[in-house]
Amino acid sequence: MPSMEEVQRQLQELHVSDHRRKLMRKEIEELPNILKDNEKILRLMGGTYQTFTGMFIATNSRFLFIDKGYKGKLTLYEFKYDELLDMKYNLGWVYGKIDMLYLGKWIKLEMLEKEETESFFHFINDQRGSFSSSIDDSTVAEIKIEKEMNPQSHRKSGLFYEVSDLQIEERPEVKEKVSRWLGFKPLDPSQEQYIKKLKKRYFWRVFLAALILAVIVISLIVQSSLIEVWKFAVFLSVLWIGGAWVLQKELNEDINKKKSTSSLVIYKYCIRYWNSFFEYLIPNSGYRIKPNVTGMFLKYGFENRRNIKITRFFHFPKLQKDRIYYISYKMKKHTETTKRMGLYFELTLPKETRQSLKSFLLVPKGNKLKSEKYTLQQSLVAHNLYTEKAIPQEQLDEIISFLQPLINRDIGVAVKFHHHLEIYLAYFLETKEQLKSEEQIQQIIDGIHLWYAFYERSIIWRYGQFPAEWKEGEEQALEY
């Protein structure tokens, strides 16, 4: 490993300013323990990755992100040049941003120094490995995912991996965390710390917005007298303090559980605690699209009731090319909604499987289809299978075996495959408002434990094992 003197010499050759060295002092001090022999620093820049603020460095062999937190915790991410599949950058008003497709997943480098973002991007882009021009980026990404995730074991029919019986793991720590968030118990230290972070982040956002506004307005009246400028500054300060107080009050109300303690709140917290790669989007956070899927569900036989409106909403976007949605129901000509919700999975299959499997529909027996493309291939015990082209029995057996735990529970599961494997669980989750006991919380958690175990099982069925990031994320998520 290089000495600190060697690291400082390399930074000197890169003309890294003293100011920047002071800002990144903690990260630079870790470089002798991180860099390998004969590894040379070629680029250095500050920025953020995920929730960390630190230093990006590009060497002659790899690309690194380093953050030394204020408590001394070291965070290190390594990216290999030949596994960067695609890149793009964007320059904002103040900062730059670089998006990189790494092992089939887009990662974001944000809050980059605007003046150096473009040159940094071109340097990394030049370093990354080149792939055959006959293979497009999406194919390369899938090859990389297969390489990283799939063990050497062979699939049964060349399409899917074997899965064991569905095991629903009890997670008492999840119930404990949720009970505390909802006010049944005092918050634990990690939750208190998280709230402090939220408050600080909220405060500085308000402060930055007010500061920018002040600079803009003062620049417009700079020709006015000094007294008028001071009057305006006082007015702006009062406005900012009042606005910050109102927003802080709203934040505290949200954090201190003064909202209704509904089942949806529990679902949100369960997702967050299970795995950090799940991200729950609240409707008022910018994701407002709530598509009406009634026509689609009737067309493909997912539903047969004509007097109901079906809406797909809330999805978890940070999954490995998958999407999970909640489904709500509303009776036509009535304002009353049902007391249950559905779940809708869009699962991405590996490329080889996707190309080999023919389009099909598996719907509860008795449901009718509006689509003329699909014809009945086989009548099962509780479901009918419709296909565009015949599916080999071996492949069909694997699909049914995977879904059997849901079928055995008398869940009216419906499945469609066309590019994605779409799985619909009707009226699957309970919706309750104003929960008053931990027994009610447990009832809600039991249902969502089932679908989380099913989703875990789907990853093994499709890819053979969990990616390492998945298990690491699960461990980290429970910290909060």
Side-chain angles (χ1 to χ4, degrees), residues 351-363:
K351 188 172 187 292
E352 179 184 349
T353 306
R354 195 164 64 237
Q355 291 179 337
S356 304
L357 189 61
K358 305 293 188 273
S359 298
F360 69 88
L361 292 171
L362 182 71
V363 299

Side-chain angles (χ1 to χ4, degrees), residues 160 347-351 353-354 357 417 421 461-463:
F160 300 106
L347 308 180
T348 301
L349 300 182
K351 188 172 187 292
T353 306
R354 195 164 64 237
L357 189 61
F417 171 71
L421 189 68
W461 184 59
R462 290 176 288 159
Y463 299 107

Side-chain angles (χ1 to χ4, degrees), residues 49-50 79 83-90 97-110 121 125 128 136-139 141-142 145 277 279 317-321 323 469:
Y49 175 65
Q50 294 182 355
F79 308 97
E83 292 176 344
L84 290 173
L85 306 177
D86 193 13
M87 296 181 65
K88 55 187 178 182
Y89 74 95
N90 180 49
K97 180 178 74 171
I98 296 176
D99 295 339
M100 302 191 304
L101 183 61
Y102 186 73
L103 292 178
K105 181 175 69 175
W106 283 101
I107 60 176
K108 297 180 182 295
L109 318 182
E110 300 179 298
F121 166 83
N125 199 33
R128 69 187 182 92
D136 60 23
D137 287 335
S138 60
T139 303
E142 288 162 353
I145 289 176
F277 288 89
E279 180 178 322
K318 282 193 175 179
L319 299 176
Q320 180 189 303
K321 292 192 170 183
R323 294 287 185 270
E469 297 169 338

Side-chain angles (χ1 to χ4, degrees), residues 92-202:
W93 285 2
V94 181
Y95 297 106
K97 180 178 74 171
I98 296 176
D99 295 339
M100 302 191 304
L101 183 61
Y102 186 73
L103 292 178
K105 181 175 69 175
W106 283 101
I107 60 176
K108 297 180 182 295
L109 318 182
E110 300 179 298
M111 301 290 285
L112 305 177
E113 297 161 63
K114 182 177 178 180
E115 295 76 12
E116 299 185 20
T117 297
E118 187 173 358
S119 62
F120 196 81
F121 166 83
H122 288 301
F123 176 82
I124 300 295
N125 199 33
D126 292 339
Q127 296 295 320
R128 69 187 182 92
S130 60
F131 295 88
S132 170
S133 59
S134 62
I135 303 178
D136 60 23
D137 287 335
S138 60
T139 303
V140 172
E142 288 162 353
I143 291 173
K144 287 293 182 181
I145 289 176
E146 290 285 285
K147 177 182 176 182
E148 288 293 312
M149 295 187 61
N150 292 343
Q152 297 302 316
S153 60
H154 296 288
R155 303 174 184 180
K156 291 194 296 180
S157 68
L159 295 185
F160 300 106
Y161 291 90
E162 286 193 63
V163 288
S164 59
D165 295 336
L166 180 65
Q167 302 293 327
I168 303 176
E169 180 183 349
E170 290 294 328
R171 294 177 169 87
E173 67 276 9
V174 172
K175 179 185 175 183
E176 179 73 12
K177 288 279 188 178
V178 170
S179 297
R180 292 180 182 277
W181 275 116
L182 296 181
F184 289 91
K185 298 178 181 180
L187 297 178
D188 62 35
S190 66
Q191 291 170 323
E192 292 281 6
Q193 186 66 26
Y194 179 75
I195 287 178
K196 290 179 181 178
K197 290 181 180 179
L198 282 183
K199 289 181 176 180
K200 287 180 181 178
R201 190 181 309 164
Y202 212 77

Side-chain angles (χ1 to χ4, degrees), residues 169-318:
E169 180 183 349
E170 290 294 328
R171 294 177 169 87
E173 67 276 9
V174 172
K175 179 185 175 183
E176 179 73 12
K177 288 279 188 178
V178 170
S179 297
R180 292 180 182 277
W181 275 116
L182 296 181
F184 289 91
K185 298 178 181 180
L187 297 178
D188 62 35
S190 66
Q191 291 170 323
E192 292 281 6
Q193 186 66 26
Y194 179 75
I195 287 178
K196 290 179 181 178
K197 290 181 180 179
L198 282 183
K199 289 181 176 180
K200 287 180 181 178
R201 190 181 309 164
Y202 212 77
F203 173 84
W204 285 112
R205 284 179 179 175
V206 174
F207 176 80
L208 182 61
L211 184 63
I212 293 174
L213 179 62
V215 171
I216 293 175
V217 176
I218 290 176
S219 65
L220 294 176
I221 61 172
V222 70
Q223 301 299 328
S224 303
S225 66
L226 186 60
I227 295 177
E228 290 178 344
V229 173
W230 274 108
K231 286 181 179 179
F232 177 77
V234 171
F235 169 75
L236 192 63
S237 299
V238 172
L239 184 65
W240 171 72
I241 293 172
W245 180 80
V246 171
L247 293 174
Q248 185 73 16
K249 184 179 178 182
E250 291 179 358
L251 176 66
N252 286 333
E253 288 179 353
D254 183 45
I255 291 175
N256 292 331
K257 307 154 294 296
K258 293 180 180 178
K259 301 186 304 182
S260 62
T261 53
S262 68
S263 56
L264 277 176
V265 176
I266 292 184
Y267 299 147
K268 176 183 72 171
Y269 289 133
C270 282
I271 297 302
R272 177 163 171 255
Y273 291 129
W274 274 330
N275 197 285
S276 64
F277 288 89
F278 279 119
E279 180 178 322
Y280 178 88
L281 291 187
I282 304 173
N284 62 7
S285 66
Y287 187 77
R288 300 177 178 274
I289 302 174
K290 296 183 180 180
N292 183 348
V293 294
T294 309
M296 181 182 76
F297 278 24
L298 291 174
K299 177 180 179 181
Y300 294 119
F302 281 14
E303 284 284 356
N304 237 12
R305 299 169 64 183
R306 308 289 170 176
N307 64 333
I308 196 168
K309 179 183 176 182
I310 306 168
T311 305
R312 185 177 70 190
F313 70 114
F314 298 170
H315 82 256
F316 310 97
K318 282 193 175 179

